[in-house]
């Protein structure tokens, strides 16, 4: 535990907070609540762009943490994630059946609520599962690469899967603009490379932070210029596969990796461990459709300064509440020794695939 990089736990929390913010702004209705001629419109989009690198950060963390990792290859995490998803899905569906029965009508609706991944919900978990299964093989392959070869691989991947699709606005390689296993593997490889070279990077955190802000402003300017010329949203620039978004994710991850923690490590680990719970709960089909969808437009009634306080205040409260539920779920699983069951199942599968 002494060698643990606690700054990366902060990165996991902050990036999941950013994902929550993306959903409040987008699904919540704030991004479409104003015209591009409004100052509020550009404020929302500036926040959106700042938060957009969160998914890439979260994905790169996996590669970073797996580099030089000595633990035994296992599908335990896959089984655990699926079980946690089903656990919350059953509870959320049950809550809606009791308190909003009109929203859960018929067997089909119940099945969608309990198994939302079958209808395309939880795209990140669905795309992450193949990565998690392949991680031991990816890790061994990358460990065998020299830093120079690893660098060349990263350059090729960024060129093929980021730069080309962004500047042609064509998804040549069907990576779905980042909503795919392919992109998560790319981020995994990039995260692994960053771990290898982190001690050789002499750029200060202040300069990295300045670069992050500069790229956010550049993306806002590009979006504004494109809209003024065409009256349309600029394609490709604000996507998970965008080189600008990806660069910001790299800057942020390097900054977080340098953070050192003195006190509060136990609380930090609990909150960090509940990050996926935050994602699973607030991204459930029913929560997305009936609690988040269009239900944050009222924030737009306030002044810009008030909006910032209200928006971030609500996001923080929601995150803290969902983290608390995640911590309680972990406590329940521990007491019921459910993790032991998962490890037993994983052990049998591990013998087959590893």
């Amino acid at each position: 535990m002494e060698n643990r990089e606690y700054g990366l736990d902060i990165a996991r929390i902050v990036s999941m907070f950013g994902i929550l913010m993306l959903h409040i702004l987008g699904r919540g209705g704030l991004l479409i609540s104003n015209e591009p001629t409004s100052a509020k419109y550009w404020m929302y989009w500036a926040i959106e762009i700042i938060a957009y690198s969160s998914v890439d950060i979260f994905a790169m963390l996996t590669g970073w943490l797996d580099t030089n990792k000595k633990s035994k290859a296992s599908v335990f995490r896959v089984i655990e994630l699926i079980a946690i998803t089903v656990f919350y899905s059953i509870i959320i569906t049950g809550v809606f059946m009791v308190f909003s029965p009109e929203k859960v009508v018929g067997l089909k609706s119940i099945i969608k609520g309990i198994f939302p991944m079958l209808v395309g919900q939880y795209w990140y978990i669905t795309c992450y599962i193949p990565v998690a299964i392949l991680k031991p093989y990816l890790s061994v392959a990358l460990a065998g690469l020299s830093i120079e070869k690893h660098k060349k691989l990263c350059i090729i991947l960024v060129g093929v899967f980021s730069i080309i699709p962004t500047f042609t606005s064509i998804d040549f390689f069907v990576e779905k603009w980042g909503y795919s296993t392919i992109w998560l593997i790319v981020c995994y490889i990039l995260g692994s490379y960053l771990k290898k070279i982190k001690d050789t990077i002499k750029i200060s955190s202040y300069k990295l932070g300045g670069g992050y802000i500069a790229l956010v402003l550049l993306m806002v300017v590009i979006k504004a210029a494109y809209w003024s010329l065409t009256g349309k949203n600029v394609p490709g620039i604000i996507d998970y596969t965008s080189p600008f978004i990806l660069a910001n994710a790299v800057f942020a991850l390097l900054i977080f990796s340098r953070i050192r923690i003195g006190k509060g490590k136990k609380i930090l680990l609990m909150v960090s461990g509940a990050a996926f719970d935050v994602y699973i709960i607030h991204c459930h089909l029913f929560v997305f459709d009936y609690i988040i969808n269009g239900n944050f437009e009222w924030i737009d009634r306030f002044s810009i300064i008030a909006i910032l306080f209200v928006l971030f205040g609500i996001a923080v409260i929601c995150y803290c509440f969902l983290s608390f539920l995640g911590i309680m779920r972990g406590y329940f699983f521990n007491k019921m020794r459910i993790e032991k069951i998962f490890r037993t199942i994983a052990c049998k599968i591990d013998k087959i695939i590893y």
Side-chain angles (χ1 to χ4, degrees):
M1 191 66 75
E2 288 299 320
N3 295 324
R4 188 181 184 96
E5 297 174 286
Y6 289 96
L8 300 182
D9 289 292
I10 297 175
R12 182 180 285 109
I13 294 167
V14 172
S15 57
M16 187 54 70
F17 178 83
I19 292 169
L20 175 63
M21 182 64 76
L22 288 175
H23 295 153
I24 291 175
L25 289 169
R27 194 73 175 219
L30 288 171
L31 288 182
I32 59 172
S33 61
N34 289 276
E35 294 297 322
T37 52
S38 166
K40 290 180 180 180
Y41 175 90
W42 295 105
M43 178 191 70
Y44 292 138
W45 269 102
I47 298 172
E48 175 86 352
I49 291 170
I50 290 171
Y52 226 89
S53 58
S54 297
V55 171
D56 289 355
I57 295 171
F58 209 86
M60 284 194 290
L61 269 171
T62 307
W64 182 298
L65 294 171
D66 270 5
T67 301
N68 301 324
K69 195 174 183 180
K70 303 299 181 183
S71 59
K72 183 182 177 182
S74 177
V75 294
F76 167 74
R77 184 57 174 159
V78 174
I79 295 171
E80 183 185 44
L81 271 178
I82 293 173
I84 293 172
T85 302
V86 174
F87 172 79
Y88 280 121
S89 296
I90 291 172
I91 292 176
I92 292 171
T93 301
V95 169
F96 271 89
M97 289 176 69
V98 172
F99 295 101
S100 297
E102 73 282 358
K103 293 182 173 64
V104 188
V105 180
L107 180 61
K108 185 177 180 180
S109 184
I110 294 174
I111 293 175
K112 285 168 62 178
I114 296 177
F115 303 105
M117 283 191 287
L118 297 178
V119 292
Q121 200 71 2
Y122 295 130
W123 75 266
Y124 189 92
I125 292 178
T126 304
C127 294
Y128 172 78
I129 287 173
V131 180
I133 293 172
L134 294 172
K135 279 197 306 178
Y137 298 109
L138 288 171
S139 181
V140 170
L142 293 175
L145 289 179
S146 66
I147 291 180
E148 186 62 26
K149 289 287 186 182
H150 201 156
K151 176 183 176 181
K152 290 180 179 179
L153 175 61
C154 289
I155 291 172
I156 292 170
L157 292 175
V158 171
V160 171
F161 294 107
S162 177
I163 295 174
I164 291 176
T166 297
F167 292 105
T168 62
S169 299
I170 301 173
D171 187 14
F172 282 110
F173 310 106
V174 197
E175 54 182 326
K176 300 179 181 178
W177 308 111
Y179 295 87
S180 66
T181 296
I182 293 174
W183 183 246
L184 296 190
I185 290 176
V186 170
C187 288
Y188 180 97
I189 294 171
L190 292 174
S192 176
Y193 176 68
L194 289 176
K195 173 66 176 292
K196 286 183 179 180
I197 66 166
K198 67 182 181 71
D199 293 330
T200 66
I201 298 175
K202 303 305 179 183
I203 304 173
S204 71
S205 295
Y206 293 107
K207 289 182 178 178
L208 290 171
Y212 192 107
I213 295 171
L215 282 179
V216 168
L217 293 175
L218 177 61
M219 283 182 274
V220 171
V221 169
I222 292 174
K223 178 177 171 60
Y226 192 87
W227 176 82
S228 66
L229 292 172
T230 67
K232 300 177 181 179
N233 286 323
V234 59
I237 298 299
I238 307 171
D239 276 309
Y240 299 137
T241 53
S242 164
F244 302 107
I245 297 296
L246 186 61
N248 267 355
V250 170
F251 294 161
L253 189 54
L254 289 173
I255 292 171
F256 283 121
S257 71
R258 298 171 179 179
I259 296 176
R260 298 293 177 262
I261 301 298
K263 298 180 180 179
K265 293 179 180 176
K266 187 175 181 180
I267 295 175
L268 178 62
L269 290 180
M270 287 193 297
V271 178
S272 173
F276 252 121
D277 293 70
V278 173
Y279 172 76
I280 293 169
I281 297 170
H282 91 269
C283 286
H284 186 273
L285 189 67
F286 294 157
V287 176
F288 240 39
D289 288 348
Y290 303 123
I291 296 180
I292 296 179
N293 191 34
N295 287 326
F296 289 93
E297 293 180 8
W298 59 271
I299 297 175
D300 192 60
R301 295 178 300 183
F302 299 104
S303 67
I304 287 180
I305 299 299
I307 286 173
L308 290 173
F309 280 102
V310 174
L311 178 60
F312 280 92
I314 289 174
V316 169
I317 291 171
C318 288
Y319 194 95
C320 289
F321 175 67
L322 297 178
S323 289
F324 173 76
L325 294 180
I327 293 169
M328 290 298 99
R329 189 275 311 157
Y331 179 78
F332 171 74
F333 273 28
N334 185 51
K335 281 294 181 180
M336 298 299 292
R337 298 184 178 179
I338 295 177
E339 182 178 312
K340 186 177 180 180
I341 298 173
F342 295 161
R343 292 198 180 278
T344 301
I345 297 172
C347 185
K348 296 182 182 299
I349 299 175
D350 293 341
K351 292 178 180 178
I352 299 173
I353 66 175
Y354 297 128

